[in-house]
Amino acid sequence: MAGMRMFGVGRLFTRKSWLEDHPEPSYWQVTKVKVDYTSENMDHGRAWGVLTYKGKQEDDVKEIDKVMYHDWRLIPKHMEQQFKDFQPLPEPPVRSVPYPPLLRAMMFAQHRKERGSVMSEEPMLPLKRDVVFNREYFRKQEQERRSMQETAV
């Protein structure tokens, strides 16, 4: 940034690791630079900017951290608009429903009994069930399948 016009203010910078890790654009748009004029070649200082990480832009200006890492890349002018025009995919809707009334009342009573206070948020029942199978489950399935095949006639 030391050799750039206005020390790179207004330009987009990304990290090589961000380019490799995810397909969504991640970059900093530099808004302010404070150069250490006492350093040789004026290659030290601090920079601030707006972060766009995985296609989602943050609202406020922050100081850019890890500026001395060597994997920073300048996004060429002809590619800047392509990075800015990226539209992130919408967040999937939350798939949950309220608990049935009796179960909900039982949960509130249990919480009040254990903690002595009223539950602050409404409990929701997720519609998607995350199931993790271990090796033992598959071994048992295989044994049951074999025992069904080996039955005496």
Side-chain angles (χ1 to χ4, degrees):
M1 288 193 345
M4 297 182 67
R5 186 169 166 256
M6 293 178 44
F7 297 102
V9 173
R11 296 297 303 271
L12 303 183
F13 289 87
T14 189
R15 297 183 61 187
K16 185 179 177 188
S17 57
W18 289 348
L19 293 171
E20 294 169 353
D21 289 346
H22 30 266
E24 303 92 356
S26 298
Y27 58 88
W28 282 94
Q29 181 166 14
V30 178
T31 57
K32 176 183 168 187
V33 174
K34 216 177 216 183
V35 180
D36 181 8
Y37 291 103
T38 61
S39 68
E40 188 178 337
N41 300 328
M42 291 189 292
D43 58 354
H44 290 287
R46 296 165 62 184
W48 290 262
V50 178
L51 174 64
T52 301
Y53 189 71
K54 292 186 179 180
K56 295 182 181 115
Q57 183 174 359
E58 293 186 2
D59 297 331
D60 51 338
V61 175
K62 294 182 182 175
E63 184 173 359
I64 301 173
D65 58 342
K66 302 175 183 159
V67 293
M68 294 306 289
Y69 283 25
H70 293 285
D71 69 339
W72 286 99
R73 304 290 184 259
L74 172 68
I75 298 172
K77 278 270 194 199
H78 69 277
M79 291 180 67
E80 282 185 0
Q81 199 58 41
Q82 181 183 348
F83 270 71
K84 290 180 179 178
D85 289 344
F86 177 81
Q87 292 295 324
L89 294 173
E91 293 290 326
V94 178
R95 306 266 310 166
S96 58
V97 294
Y99 277 93
L102 181 59
L103 186 55
R104 179 182 172 274
M106 290 171 62
M107 289 174 72
F108 275 111
Q110 181 72 22
H111 187 271
R112 194 172 328 134
K113 180 181 171 187
E114 289 176 354
R115 296 195 176 97
S117 64
V118 178
M119 198 180 285
S120 60
E121 58 187 45
E122 183 69 27
M124 298 296 277
L125 181 65
L127 295 178
K128 181 182 175 196
R129 193 172 131 205
D130 294 324
V131 180
V132 178
F133 296 111
N134 57 14
R135 290 182 184 172
E136 190 60 38
Y137 172 81
F138 292 109
R139 284 188 192 126
K140 191 180 285 184
Q141 292 290 331
E142 184 66 26
Q143 286 175 356
E144 288 176 8
R145 188 180 61 79
R146 285 183 184 166
S147 65
M148 294 298 282
Q149 289 176 351
E150 296 173 1
T151 56
V153 180

